[in-house]
Amino acid sequence: MNRTSIIIRREYLSRVKKKTFIIMTILGPILFAALMIVPIWLAQIKDTEEKTIAILDDSFLFVDQFEDSEYLKYEYLQSMDVDAALELMKQNDFYAVLYIPNNIVSTGRSSAMMYSYKQPGLAVQMELLNHMEKYITDAKLQIKGEELGVEKEALRNVIKAVETNVDIKTRIINDNGEQKSTSTEIAMIIGYIAGFLIYMFVFMYGSQVMRGVIEEKSNRIVEIIVSSVRPFKLMMGKIIGIALVGLTQFILWIILTFGIVTAAQFILLDDIKGFQQSPQMEQLISSNAQVGNSPIQDQFSGKIENALNALSSINFPLLIGAFLFYFLFGYLLYAGMFAAVGAAVDNEADTQQFMLPISLPLVLGLIVMFSVINSPESSLAWWFSIIPFTSPIVMMVRIPFGVPVIDLVLSFSVLILSFIFMVWLSGKIYRIGILMYGKKVSYKELWKWIRYKN
Amino acid sequence: MDYILRAENVTKQYAGHKALDNVSLSVPKGSIYGLLGPNGAGKTSFIRILNQITAPDGGTIELLGQALNKKHIRNIGYLPEERGLYKKMKVGEQAMYLTQLKGLSRVDAAKRLKYWFEKFGIESWWDKKVEALSKGMAQKVQFITTVLHEPELLIFDEPFSGFDPINANLLKNEILELRDKGATVIFSTHNMSSVEEICDDIALINKSKIVVEGNIDTIRKRYAPDIYEIIFEGEFTNPDLAMTSDYEILQTTPLNGETSIRLKQLNDNFSANDLIKFLLPKGELKSFRQIIPSMNSVFISLVEENDQPVNN
């Protein structure tokens, strides 16, 4: 086995065997899966507590119009003022008092008031709202119909006929004249996630490289090692070893998250149909159905269809390939700098002064990313997706929107060349720094080290 | 004589100062060679060049008859002054790692480690983490990893610093044993007593330059300031000797019916034989010997001498 691979092996194994790595690798997916599963699961749990809602109806439109459901009972109060109603709520242990003012129909934007001790759940509000909207629409139709001398139902049909819902679907035409449906939202989400992951990876594992170098320096083992291995090999062994640790963790996260989500769906959610039939979804769909026609439902399923089409239009091999490339080379570019910083200092507290040139471009990349999502064609987007210090983050956001091959090739080559240059430069600092103790180093000093011949 | 290492006019310049200025030295095969000098003289710079951690700006170095090259890493075992181990790693794993880096296969490394761990009686440490070891224990592990690949040349930089007397003695014996088995040992120190005990040859470096180099006894004799100790039977006083201008009496000490006298030779043409001829009629001569200075005093006088012209 050659020496670099011995070093890579140690760097890799010593980290993968650490308790923190194992805990992070297991906890990460549980956390991710929980973020996906728990909201759906919670939505599925039915609220089985029986609630009584008192209705104080000054408009007298809704008398006996609220029908009791399984868990929601209604009690109509005599005309009284709100304070008296609240007093009654206290005495009778009502869940809430719904006060409907008498101008509920005449005002443009109607609002009723609900009083309760606890913030009422969405399900309760939605049910009340459905009832009220339905009857208010009905009441308005009745009044307008009488004014115009038209049947209520005829009026309803007219409204249905003129209701419009506009949606812009996007289709991209490529050079061969083929068309593809796309979705800006999907492209945004994918780009954002990819860019952010790369940002995180570079920071997390880059600083591991730095800590590793500081550890070797403060342990005083480094001189023993560099008497067997050239410092550059030690540095590269460390950088590559840690990159493999990162990849391992990343792949395990994806596999485990996927596994947990699948298992959890199976156990907690019966199946995916069960989710669609959850009471809230049903309510949402049925409420839409009740209010006039179902254009919203159409729009809803239309969006899903569009999104699925858009997903299939994204060039996934390119996206994944580019992601792995930027993930790795973005890290490699910065890892050398992290190693150089580690070598220049005696302990972690001293790293602050040298962190700026590393964290500034990374954070800048993240900031530019947000602007690029809005205008992926801008010259800002172009420049920052070519400049190697920001390209791994910014280019990942551009790719789902479609990037000319020439831009990709340019960005890739610039990044690879910069990586080679950076590692060479860092190696020069590293080589001197690791054997330098107890000296406060300045940028000027680093420049001197770079110019040393051997 | 057969030399394992020859350095000629080795120069190393750091920004601002010369670390090595035309350093030439030759290390005889199978010897224990002391690299002496005050802190900052350039010892560590020279050793780092031997280990190819840095390269010289000028000059040539020959090891085992060949210009110094990458393959020589296998032939050298180096215990640096700044030495340590990975705290979180297990002792065995760590020893394996360091030995493999020197180019030994896993099987070989394991076999030889077993031998040395048994020799030092530390087999039970194999699965311990380094942070659980005391400083002395860790140094034993470091020593083992330095010599495990059986290098022809061993380099110890300040090996005794931080060792307790028991471990220092153990280390000294191991070094002598390795020498007897044919290894050559270079060791750098500013601790002179250890030099006299075990070194065969030395080079004294001061201010980046070699001040003196060669066999330790030859050097001590060369720098003997011509002081003799004479012991006469009976009580003697200075006038009894009625000295000439060739000698100066430094000290007269009566002791148990004998008198010990220290003389310093002033005239180079007046030999020890002349002195004895002169002394014989004066009384019952019991002993006559030249006082050879300790390495420590040679070191101090040479460094001081060397420093003077530079003090401007």
Side-chain angles (χ1 to χ4, degrees):
Chain A
M1 221 179 349
N2 79 42
R3 294 188 169 92
T4 313
S5 54
I6 294 171
I7 291 171
I8 293 173
R9 193 169 164 271
R10 193 205 83 86
E11 297 294 337
Y12 180 79
L13 288 179
S14 69
R15 283 184 174 76
V16 169
K17 282 197 272 182
K18 258 191 200 158
K19 280 198 198 80
T20 47
F21 177 85
I22 296 168
I23 291 170
M24 275 298 289
T25 306
I26 294 169
L27 275 189
I30 291 174
L31 212 70
F32 297 146
L35 280 176
M36 286 189 234
I37 288 288
V38 168
I40 300 174
W41 180 58
L42 286 180
Q44 207 192 22
I45 297 171
K46 285 179 188 156
D47 190 354
T48 52
E49 193 196 340
E50 196 178 295
K51 299 183 181 77
T52 306
I53 291 171
I55 311 269
L56 179 60
D57 183 8
D58 275 3
S59 69
F60 299 104
L61 277 172
F62 302 96
V63 179
D64 292 333
Q65 292 291 1
F66 288 95
E67 285 164 31
D68 289 356
S69 64
E70 201 178 341
Y71 300 110
L72 223 46
K73 310 291 175 203
Y74 300 100
E75 186 124 347
Y76 286 85
L77 300 178
Q78 308 272 315
S79 262
M80 58 178 76
D81 59 27
V82 176
D83 290 341
L86 293 182
E87 191 57 38
L88 271 176
M89 172 163 81
K90 209 180 206 171
Q91 285 166 18
N92 294 321
D93 203 18
F94 295 141
Y95 178 72
V97 169
L98 182 69
Y99 170 67
I100 303 170
N102 64 5
N103 63 355
I104 188 88
V105 179
S106 55
T107 48
R109 176 110 195 115
S110 312
S111 77
M113 184 68 78
M114 188 148 100
Y115 299 92
S116 62
Y117 291 116
K118 282 183 286 184
Q119 178 65 34
L122 200 63
V124 174
Q125 281 189 49
M126 285 241 284
E127 195 167 331
L128 291 174
L129 215 58
N130 286 341
H131 281 297
M132 287 171 66
E133 279 183 352
K134 187 178 161 198
Y135 289 110
I136 291 171
T137 311
D138 218 48
K140 281 181 176 171
L141 281 172
Q142 185 73 38
I143 296 164
K144 287 289 170 196
E146 275 165 20
E147 272 177 28
L148 297 167
V150 194
E151 271 295 305
K152 192 169 79 179
E153 284 311 310
L155 203 56
R156 203 194 293 276
N157 287 336
V158 171
I159 291 169
K160 206 189 288 180
V162 298
E163 200 168 50
T164 10
N165 223 307
V166 182
D167 175 33
I168 298 179
K169 292 183 178 169
T170 48
R171 275 173 169 265
I172 287 194
I173 304 156
N174 69 10
D175 295 344
N176 302 331
E178 289 165 12
Q179 299 185 5
K180 276 180 179 172
S181 305
T182 59
S183 157
T184 309
E185 289 93 335
I186 296 285
M188 260 172 67
I189 292 167
I190 289 176
Y192 178 81
I193 292 174
F196 196 76
L197 276 176
I198 288 175
Y199 169 82
M200 257 178 45
F201 182 78
V202 169
F203 245 118
M204 269 172 60
Y205 291 95
S207 43
Q208 279 211 26
V209 171
M210 186 178 76
R211 276 201 296 273
V213 174
I214 295 173
E215 187 204 357
E216 274 166 6
K217 221 183 140 177
S218 58
N219 276 349
R220 302 287 198 265
I221 195 174
V222 71
E223 191 162 355
I224 296 179
I225 296 174
V226 295
S227 68
S228 315
V229 190
R230 294 196 38 212
F232 186 76
K233 282 189 178 175
L234 175 61
M235 185 179 92
M236 282 316 290
K238 186 173 285 298
I239 289 175
I240 294 168
I242 291 174
L244 293 177
V245 174
L247 282 177
T248 307
Q249 186 157 59
F250 190 69
I251 289 165
L252 283 176
W253 272 350
I254 290 174
I255 294 171
L256 286 175
T257 305
F258 189 73
I260 292 173
V261 169
T262 313
Q265 272 178 354
F266 190 70
I267 296 161
L268 294 175
L269 305 180
D270 301 337
D271 58 20
I272 200 73
K273 278 242 159 68
F275 164 65
Q276 279 167 355
Q277 282 163 3
S278 74
Q280 279 191 10
M281 281 302 263
E282 242 172 307
Q283 228 158 35
L284 201 74
I285 292 162
S286 67
S287 75
N288 286 332
Q290 278 166 15
V291 181
N293 206 338
S294 56
I296 299 176
Q297 196 184 359
D298 277 353
Q299 193 190 2
F300 187 70
S301 56
K303 274 251 187 270
I304 290 178
E305 198 188 306
N306 198 21
L308 289 174
N309 277 335
L311 271 180
S312 65
S313 81
I314 287 174
N315 186 346
F316 274 103
L318 172 72
L319 191 75
I320 293 169
F323 178 73
L324 285 177
F325 176 84
Y326 283 119
F327 190 75
L328 208 60
F329 277 85
Y331 157 81
L332 288 175
L333 176 71
Y334 280 98
M337 295 164 72
F338 273 108
V341 171
V345 299
D346 280 347
N347 57 64
E348 228 174 312
D350 292 342
T351 59
Q352 283 311 319
Q353 57 161 332
F354 296 120
M355 283 306 286
L356 199 67
I358 297 176
S359 49
L360 201 67
L362 268 175
V363 173
L364 189 68
L366 207 62
I367 294 168
V368 170
M369 178 176 95
F370 291 115
S371 126
V372 170
I373 285 175
N374 291 326
S375 47
E377 304 288 319
S378 65
S379 61
L380 179 87
W382 190 84
W383 280 106
F384 278 88
S385 61
I386 300 300
I387 295 171
F389 295 101
T390 51
S391 68
I393 298 172
V394 176
M395 187 58 102
M396 278 321 293
V397 180
R398 279 186 68 196
I399 285 175
F401 291 97
V403 177
V405 175
I406 180 83
D407 284 11
L408 275 180
V409 172
L410 186 62
S411 173
F412 280 14
S413 344
V414 170
L415 184 56
I416 291 173
L417 289 175
S418 317
F419 152 66
I420 293 169
F421 174 74
M422 212 59 205
V423 152
W424 171 80
L425 199 70
S426 305
K428 283 183 158 273
I429 295 176
Y430 178 83
R431 179 191 68 171
I432 307 284
I434 46 172
L435 298 173
M436 202 71 83
Y437 295 109
K439 195 172 179 184
K440 265 263 189 239
V441 177
S442 61
Y443 280 106
K444 204 176 146 200
E445 186 82 20
L446 290 188
W447 177 238
K448 251 193 233 163
W449 293 358
I450 288 171
R451 289 184 330 193
Y452 279 158
K453 277 199 301 290
N454 259 302
Chain B
M1 200 184 283
D2 202 4
Y3 292 105
I4 188 170
L5 175 79
R6 278 172 179 280
E8 250 165 77
N9 302 319
V10 173
T11 309
K12 178 78 186 173
Q13 177 107 31
Y14 287 111
H17 82 287
K18 261 193 177 167
L20 294 170
D21 188 0
N22 277 310
V23 167
S24 300
L25 52 82
S26 306
V27 178
K29 212 171 216 163
S31 68
I32 295 182
Y33 192 93
L35 204 55
L36 319 179
N39 289 326
K43 295 174 304 221
T44 302
S45 293
F46 184 71
I47 288 174
R48 282 181 181 168
I49 288 172
L50 291 186
N51 280 294
Q52 300 173 67
I53 294 170
T54 52
D57 296 336
T60 55
I61 293 173
E62 228 177 59
L63 184 65
L64 293 160
Q66 279 183 322
L68 195 65
N69 64 58
K70 263 198 207 161
K71 283 182 194 141
H72 284 133
I73 285 172
R74 192 62 218 264
N75 306 110
I76 300 178
Y78 173 40
L79 187 67
E81 181 177 10
E82 297 284 4
R83 50 186 178 252
L85 298 165
Y86 289 113
K87 289 196 173 68
K88 301 276 175 199
M89 245 177 133
K90 285 179 182 162
V91 173
E93 273 174 34
Q94 179 133 309
M96 287 288 287
Y97 175 63
L98 292 174
T99 323
Q100 279 177 275
L101 283 183
K102 277 285 179 191
L104 250 67
S105 73
R106 283 187 75 83
V107 183
D108 272 1
K111 210 160 60 188
R112 292 191 200 179
L113 278 173
K114 192 167 174 287
Y115 164 80
W116 277 97
F117 272 56
E118 276 170 10
K119 184 170 182 183
F120 281 4
I122 58 172
E123 305 100 302
S124 60
W125 298 359
W126 189 269
D127 279 325
K128 266 193 196 162
K129 278 196 178 166
V130 171
E131 59 190 349
L133 303 185
S134 73
K135 205 175 168 195
M137 290 156 99
Q139 279 175 332
K140 273 186 191 169
V141 177
Q142 285 158 357
F143 177 80
I144 291 174
T145 58
T146 308
V147 302
L148 197 76
H149 58 292
E150 293 173 2
E152 284 90 342
L153 180 63
L154 284 159
I155 302 174
F156 298 102
D157 198 352
E158 296 290 355
F160 300 109
S161 73
F163 269 84
D164 60 64
I166 295 170
N167 276 320
N169 199 45
L170 182 84
L171 180 66
K172 196 183 89 186
N173 291 336
E174 287 301 332
I175 290 175
L176 291 172
E177 197 181 317
L178 286 165
R179 192 260 319 263
D180 294 342
K181 280 183 185 160
T184 308
V185 181
I186 292 181
F187 93 89
S188 129
T189 186
H190 56 256
N191 174 357
M192 290 305 134
S193 60
S194 58
V195 173
E196 259 160 291
E197 276 177 70
I198 62 177
C199 285
D200 306 311
D201 295 81
I202 61 146
L204 176 60
I205 302 184
N206 190 38
K207 303 234 161 129
S208 330
K209 284 187 177 134
I210 296 272
V211 178
V212 66
E213 198 221 345
N215 181 275
I216 191 163
D217 295 327
T218 320
I219 291 172
R220 278 166 62 186
K221 284 202 187 104
R222 193 190 315 158
Y223 290 91
D226 295 331
I227 293 177
Y228 300 92
E229 188 190 53
I230 304 141
I231 298 176
F232 279 112
E233 181 79 42
E235 303 251 324
F236 257 76
T237 49
N238 290 351
D240 291 335
L241 285 176
M243 291 303 298
T244 66
S245 60
D246 297 323
Y247 284 87
E248 177 191 8
I249 295 176
L250 297 175
Q251 203 179 15
T252 311
T253 327
L255 189 81
N256 302 332
E258 292 177 346
T259 308
S260 153
I261 299 160
R262 284 195 174 209
L263 297 170
K264 187 172 167 53
Q265 184 183 8
L266 297 175
N267 182 352
D268 283 346
N269 298 323
F270 201 75
S271 72
N273 273 357
D274 296 333
L275 179 61
I276 292 171
K277 266 187 223 155
F278 173 76
L279 289 172
L280 276 173
K282 302 288 178 189
E284 181 84 24
L285 189 61
K286 302 275 284 190
S287 152
F288 177 93
R289 69 179 182 102
Q290 187 177 21
I291 303 284
I292 306 292
S294 69
M295 221 29 240
N296 203 33
S297 49
V298 174
F299 178 81
I300 290 169
S301 65
L302 275 174
V303 167
E304 277 172 356
E305 200 176 290
N306 185 241
D307 282 355
Q308 269 159 8
V310 198
N311 285 346
N312 47 13

